[in-house]
Each structure stands twice: as structure tokens, then as C-alpha cells.
């Protein structure tokens, strides 16, 4: 029977997962980190070599049984997913297997192995076109616009049900438009910020583009804030019972404003190819983060402008 306390990080080679591992190690150097990833969208160079790593899928029951048996896992941080909206539109069955079946299988393992809390990565994609801005979590039926959004939406009542039926504590964090170092322009879920910076610093990768008039806006959330929200969700005393909680910056920025700031910070001209609005794209996202403040004590540690500067610095380093 293993004795050392460990946490499980699924998707540890992905953008948010790798940022999470780096910060968690700093804050809890004595806790063992166990990671799983199959590199479907993750990167080998993002993987922290000091953690105990299992290469494989979260849909592989035998592998999960082995991991849960070998380690005394107290918390599960579930980042693994196939997160590309357009990929989910083309491949609804494959993405449902990973994004729904994979989550439920992990919940089962967490239930059977007495995990203290399951911290799940949900998404603002569950809202589709939100009726109200800033958007509150609410109880009304939502209408996601993609299989990905529906899959994340489906996971949430599973969390609640596992809490009600088996007493497995959990929380679903609905992230809004995450950006920051470690997000590559061409990668699965890249925001315009990373796509534009990739185009600006690595011109051979194609010309950056702007869809629609640029007046659409996003609640861009810096990755360090998302990581901090996960750690806060672990530390909450009492039970969270499958609550769904928005994690954003709580402020929205138009794409034209982002462009201006990028030109200012990089001292480069960002010329963008104009393209028509993409079908199904939402016009604005804006998180109401009062529930996160109340239940987790969350507030964005780093504001949008500082996060953007740090992201620019990371691209500059890569381009050297
Ligand atoms: N980045 C965002 O803006 C954003 C917004 C909302 C929600 N999310 C959610 O946050 C989580 C992390 O997103 P990200 O941006 O880091 O994406 P990412 O693609 O960089 O990371 C996902 C990781 O999961 C791994 N993975 C995929 N399928 C797997 C499987 N079957 N078994 C094991 N590992 C598997 C990938 O290889 C990758 O390393 C995801 O659940 C995503 O849906 C992200």
C-alpha cells in the first residue's frame, strides 16, 4: 500500500497541465506528482521530467487501475481532453470518447480509490451564445454550439451525480479563453493572441488573420490565473459537491484592442488578413466571476496587460 501523498494530473504535457505542474511543484515541493498524457495534442518538451509519468490514454481502464493502485492519490486535476472545437465538429464520436467517457472513467477510479476531490476543466464553450454578459453560471438549460461544448456540459452533471451518489467531492471550473506561455500559435486551442504572435515571430507559419470586424471581444484569462484557481479549488475546506464555477478575468477586451497592445509591446506592425466571420463563432465572452470569488476566494492574480507582456516575452525568447 503506497503511503506518500500524490496528486494525479491528466494532460500534464498540455498547455495548462504543464503550467500547472510547474507552479504546483513550486508551492508543494514535497507532494509527489503523477501525470498521464498520450501526446495527442500535448508536447514532449512541455513534460516535466521529474514527475512520475505514464504515457497512455485516460480511456484505458487497465492503465488507470495500475496508476491508482500504485499511488495514494488525494486529488485529481483533470486537464486531458481533445479540446479543439473544430475537431469535435468533424469527429463527434472520437471526442466524446475522450471528453466524456474518459472523464467518467476517471471519476469511477477516483470514487473507488477515495480521492478527496476531483477538479475538472470545463469550458465557457458550454454557454454557446450567452444571453447575458457578464455571464453567470445559473441553473437554466444551456445550448452549446459544438460537440466539444456539449461534451464539457455533459461532464458537469456527472460530477454532481458522483457527489450525490457516492460522496466523491468535485468541482468543474469553466475556463474562459486561456492564453499564456506554452500555448503555441498552431496548437489545438490557441487564442488569437498566440496565433497572432506566432505569425508575427515565425512568419513562415503563415499570415495572421482577423475574422469579422475585430470588435468582437473575449474574456482573456491568463494561464497563471487558471492554475491558481485549480490550486484554490483544492484548498477549499468542506465540500464543493460538483459545483460549476466560471474562471475568467472578469473583463473583456476587443480583438482590435489586443492588436494595439501587441503592436505596442512588440514594437512590430501586426498586419492581419481580413476574413469573414466563422460560422458558429460567438460575438462576445465575458465571465461573471463572483461565484469563484465567493466559493474559492479567487481573483485574477495577474491582469490582462501583464499577462500579455509575459506572453510576448515568451515568444521573443523562442524566436531568438
Ligand atoms: N485553453 C483554453 O482556452 C481552454 C478553455 C476552456 C477549457 N479548456 C480545457 O482545459 C483543459 C486543458 O486544455 P489545454 O488548453 O491545456 O489543451 P491541450 O490540448 O494543450 O492539453 C490537453 C492535453 O490532454 C492530452 N490528452 C488528450 N487526449 C488524451 C487521452 N485520451 N489520454 C491522455 N491524455 C490526453 C493531450 O495530449 C494534451 O497534452 C482541457 O480539458 C480543455 O478542454 C481549455
Amino acid at each position: 500500500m503506497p503511503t506518500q501523498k500524490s496528486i494525479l494530473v491528466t494532460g500534464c504535457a498540455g498547455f495548462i497541465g504543464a503550467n500547472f505542474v510547474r507552479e504546483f511543484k513550486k508551492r508543494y515541493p514535497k507532494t509527489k506528482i503523477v501525470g498521464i498524457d498520450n501526446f495527442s495534442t500535448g508536447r514532449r518538451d512541455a513534460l516535466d521530467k521529474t514527475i512520475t509519468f505514464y504515457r497512455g490514454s485516460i480511456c484505458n481502464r487497465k492503465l488507470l487501475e495500475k496508476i491508482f493502485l500504485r499511488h495514494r492519490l488525494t486529488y485529481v486535476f483533470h486537464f486531458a481532453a481533445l479540446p479543439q472545437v473544430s475537431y469535435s465538429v468533424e469527429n463527434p464520436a472520437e471526442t466524446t470518447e475522450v471528453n466524456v467517457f474518459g472523464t467518467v472513467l476517471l471519476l469511477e477510479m477516483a470514487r473507488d480509490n477515495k480521492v478527496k476531490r476531483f477538479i475538472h476543466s470545463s469550458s465557457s464553450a458550454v454557454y454557446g451564445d450567452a444571453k447575458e454578459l457578464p455571464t453567470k453560471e445559473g441553473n437554466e438549460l444551456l445550448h452549446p454550439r459544438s460537440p466539444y461544448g456539449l461534451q464539457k456540459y455533459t461532464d458537469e452533471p456527472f460530477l454532481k451525480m458522483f457527489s450525490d451518489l457516492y460522496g466523491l467531492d468535485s468541482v468543474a471550473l469553466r475556463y474562459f479563453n486561456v492564453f499564456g506561455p506554452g500555448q503555441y500559435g498552431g496548437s489545438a486551442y490557441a487564442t488569437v493572441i498566440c496565433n497572432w504572435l506566432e505569425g508575427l515571430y515565425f512568419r513562415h507559419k503563415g499570415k495572421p488573420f482577423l475574422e469579422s470586424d475585430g470588435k468582437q471581444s473575449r474574456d482573456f484569462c491568463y494561464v497563471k490565473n487558471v492554475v491558481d484557481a485549480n490550486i484554490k479549488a483544492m484548498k477549499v475546506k468542506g465540500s464543493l459537491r460538483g459545483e460549476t464555477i466560471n474562471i475568467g478575468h472578469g473583463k473583456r477586451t476587443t480583438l482590435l484592442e489586443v492588436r494595439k497592445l501587441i503592436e505596442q509591446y512588440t514594437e512590430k506592425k501586426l498586419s492581419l488578413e481580413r476574413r469573414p466571420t466563422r460560422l458558429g463563432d460567438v460575438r462576445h465572452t465575458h465571465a461573471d466571476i463572483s461565484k469563484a470569488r465567493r466559493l474559492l476566494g479567487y481573483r485574477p492574480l495577474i491582469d490582462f496587460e501583464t499577462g500579455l507582456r509575459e506572453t510576448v516575452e515568451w515568444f521573443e525568447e523562442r524566436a531568438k
Side-chain angles (χ1 to χ4, degrees), residues 10-17 36-43 56-59 78-83 98 121-124 148 152 175-179 183 188-189 191:
T10 74
C12 57
F15 161 50
I16 303 175
I36 177 170
D37 205 297
N38 67 355
F39 298 117
S40 55
T41 56
R43 299 170 59 99
S57 174
I58 55 161
C59 300
H78 180 31
F79 300 106
L82 289 175
V98 176
S121 298
S122 189
S123 166
S124 58
Y148 169 74
K152 289 287 177 182
Y175 313 148
F176 280 64
N177 308 92
V178 191
F179 75 101
Q183 191 179 48
Y189 212 120
T191 53

Side-chain angles (χ1 to χ4, degrees), residues 5-247:
K5 277 192 188 175
S6 316
I7 60 157
L8 178 65
V9 182
T10 74
C12 57
F15 161 50
I16 303 175
N19 272 282
F20 174 84
V21 166
R22 194 173 312 117
E23 182 62 24
F24 192 92
K25 250 176 75 169
K26 267 195 232 152
R27 294 204 210 173
Y28 301 94
K30 291 197 180 126
T31 304
K32 183 170 174 182
I33 303 176
V34 179
I36 177 170
D37 205 297
N38 67 355
F39 298 117
S40 55
T41 56
R43 299 170 59 99
R44 270 158 233 277
D45 60 0
L47 185 67
D48 184 313
K49 305 287 180 297
T50 67
I51 71 170
T52 304
F53 177 64
Y54 293 85
R55 182 181 174 176
S57 174
I58 55 161
C59 300
N60 181 338
R61 179 183 281 274
K62 285 223 152 50
L63 177 62
L64 292 190
E65 281 171 351
K66 187 165 100 181
I67 296 172
F68 277 84
L69 197 71
R70 278 195 187 161
H71 306 280
R72 191 177 145 214
L73 298 168
T74 47
Y75 296 95
V76 173
F77 294 88
H78 180 31
F79 300 106
L82 289 175
Q84 197 177 20
V85 172
S86 52
Y87 189 78
S88 81
V89 172
E90 283 156 24
N91 303 281
E94 183 197 345
T95 50
T96 299
E97 187 178 2
V98 176
N99 297 346
V100 180
F101 172 76
T103 300
V104 178
L105 189 57
L106 277 162
L107 282 168
E108 220 179 281
M109 298 289 151
R111 173 200 67 182
D112 295 347
N113 291 279
K114 308 271 177 293
V115 162
K116 273 195 186 163
R117 183 169 293 147
F118 188 97
I119 296 144
H120 179 65
S121 298
S122 189
S123 166
S124 58
V126 300
Y127 291 116
D129 266 318
K131 288 198 196 82
E132 267 178 44
L133 293 172
T135 309
K136 273 193 174 26
E137 292 82 354
N139 292 319
E140 75 282 12
L141 190 63
L142 302 175
H143 300 283
R145 296 182 63 143
S146 62
Y148 169 74
L150 183 58
Q151 290 150 6
K152 289 287 177 182
Y153 193 33
T154 308
D155 288 337
E156 294 179 352
F158 266 110
L159 261 66
K160 215 162 185 50
M161 180 167 280
F162 269 71
S163 164
D164 294 344
L165 284 180
Y166 317 114
L168 171 67
D169 197 30
S170 61
V171 60
L173 305 178
R174 289 177 177 168
Y175 313 148
F176 280 64
N177 308 92
V178 191
F179 75 101
Q183 191 179 48
Y184 288 74
S187 75
Y189 212 120
T191 53
V192 283
I193 296 176
C194 298
N195 276 327
W196 287 353
L197 287 169
E198 195 84 29
L200 205 56
Y201 284 96
F202 303 92
R203 287 186 189 277
H204 61 280
K205 294 200 178 164
K207 195 170 164 59
F209 58 87
L210 170 67
E211 287 167 347
S212 183
D213 57 4
K215 291 184 187 145
Q216 64 270 44
S217 62
R218 295 286 177 266
D219 187 328
F220 290 108
C221 188
Y222 191 46
V223 65
K224 287 186 182 169
N225 296 330
V226 171
V227 166
D228 185 57
N230 272 269
I231 295 176
K232 286 203 158 63
M234 172 188 82
K235 289 189 347 196
V236 167
K237 299 256 186 302
S239 173
L240 285 168
R241 291 193 193 83
E243 285 285 356
T244 50
I245 304 178
N246 287 341
I247 300 297

